[in-house]
């Protein structure tokens, strides 16, 4: 099946009447790999689900409920723990951030996972993992300061449009992205939506996210991802 994918993709790209892509990077991939040169396509990034469009509550109450203090800088990863292709990258980033800044703590919103739970066990209380109903995720995110969306450098990630990007922004969180995440890396730089981090380079300076910045990012998400 895997061996057939490229030919099936070629036929889908070249023989379809119209194409839907999740990123302009994906359309460029069609140009480069399959010679697609038409205009019969539209780009629609992954957008917000209804649970994330609603207004979120006071973030300080969420942090207190999770055991985070008022001076903590909370980084959050929200999503599946299946197929941890980028966990080593994420783990190295978090451990270095926590070594260099005592206020940094991390929250994983995911199901139990051996790698995550091992990180929690050796973090001396600075990393927390929990799982909540989908309806509660946006409120929990609003109690954090930065959303983590680090991915390894692969073709899939270079053309991707992760739903979590819009969800983090809607919760008022600047997003930490790699240098190669679909259209979002350029968007983060252009519209000041977070931090672009390259593995092996110096860490970004992260602080508590102000109320004004939270409102700006949340409004940006509603204008661009609904």
């Amino acid at each position: 099946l895997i061996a057939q994918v490229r030919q099936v993709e070629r036929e889908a790209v070249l023989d379809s009447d119209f194409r839907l892509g999740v990123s302009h990077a994906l359309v460029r991939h069609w140009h480069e790999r399959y010679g697609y040169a038409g205009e019969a396509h539209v780009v629609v990034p992954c957008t917000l689900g209804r649970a994330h469009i609603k207004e979120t509550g006071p973030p300080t109450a969420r942090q207190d409920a999770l055991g985070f203090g008022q001076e903590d800088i909370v980084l959050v990863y929200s999503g599946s723990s299946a197929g941890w292709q980028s966990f080593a990258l994420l783990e190295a980033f978090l451990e270095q951030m926590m070594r260099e800044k005592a206020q940094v703590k991390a929250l994983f919103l995911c199901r139990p996972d051996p790698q995550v739970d091992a990180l929690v066990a050796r973090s001396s209380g600075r990393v927390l993992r929990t799982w909540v109903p989908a309806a509660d995720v946006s409120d929990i995110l609003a109690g954090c300061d930065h959303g983590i969306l680090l991915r390894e450098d692969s073709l899939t990630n270079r053309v991707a449009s992760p739903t979590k990007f819009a969800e983090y922004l809607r919760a008022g969180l600047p997003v930490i992205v790699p240098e190669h995440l679909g259209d979002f890396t350029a968007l983060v730089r252009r519209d000041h939506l977070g931090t672009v981090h390259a593995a092996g380079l110096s860490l970004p300076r992260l602080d508590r996210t102000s109320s004004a910045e939270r409102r700006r990012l949340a409004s940006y998400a509603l204008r661009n991802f609904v």
Side-chain angles (χ1 to χ4, degrees):
L1 180 61
I2 292 173
Q4 298 175 42
V5 168
R6 182 173 291 197
Q7 181 58 33
V8 171
E9 185 180 22
R10 177 187 296 276
E11 293 172 3
V13 169
L14 297 182
D15 298 341
S16 296
D17 296 312
F18 202 80
R19 301 143 192 88
L20 168 64
V22 296
S23 68
H24 295 282
L26 179 58
V27 176
R28 289 195 296 272
H29 169 67
W30 295 342
H31 291 319
E32 295 165 2
R33 175 164 288 184
Y34 302 117
Y36 170 67
E39 296 295 331
H41 65 267
V42 64
V43 172
V44 180
C46 291
T47 53
L48 289 166
R50 292 176 182 173
H52 292 272
I53 295 176
K54 68 182 182 67
E55 292 294 333
T56 55
T60 52
R62 312 295 180 223
Q63 289 198 358
D64 290 344
L66 290 169
F68 297 124
Q70 295 301 309
E71 302 304 315
D72 290 336
I73 302 166
V74 183
L75 315 186
V76 61
Y77 170 87
S78 173
S80 171
S81 60
W84 273 111
Q85 297 180 358
S86 305
F87 185 77
L89 177 67
L90 176 55
E91 181 181 36
F93 174 80
L94 286 176
E95 289 184 332
Q96 189 175 355
M97 284 295 306
M98 289 190 294
R99 281 198 303 270
E100 295 193 8
K101 197 157 189 174
Q103 298 98 319
V104 168
K105 294 186 178 178
L107 171 65
F108 283 84
L109 287 180
C110 65
R111 293 189 184 277
D113 176 88
Q115 291 176 289
V116 176
D117 292 341
L119 177 61
V120 170
R122 63 175 184 271
S123 70
S124 301
R126 296 179 65 186
V127 179
L128 171 69
R129 187 205 59 76
T130 190
W131 181 255
V132 298
D136 296 338
V137 170
S138 57
D139 288 341
I140 297 294
L141 292 179
C144 303
D145 292 291
H146 300 267
I148 304 173
L149 200 49
L150 294 176
R151 300 282 180 89
E152 66 179 3
D153 188 0
S154 67
L155 176 57
T156 298
N157 290 328
R158 284 180 174 268
V159 302
S161 175
T163 305
K164 292 301 170 187
F165 185 78
E167 293 177 1
Y168 287 148
L169 291 179
R170 176 60 188 131
L173 307 185
V175 189
I176 304 167
V177 299
E179 290 189 310
H180 46 259
L181 189 62
D183 296 343
F184 291 157
T185 298
L187 207 61
V188 166
R189 286 191 171 113
R190 188 191 74 191
D191 295 338
H192 309 289
L193 304 178
T195 301
V196 178
H197 173 65
L201 298 183
S202 58
L203 293 173
R205 176 180 174 179
L206 302 179
D207 294 300
R208 288 291 307 271
T209 301
S210 69
S211 297
E213 181 66 355
R214 290 177 186 276
R215 289 192 295 270
R216 183 184 75 86
L217 295 172
S219 297
Y220 184 99
L222 288 179
R223 292 195 307 271
N224 293 278
F225 294 102
V226 174

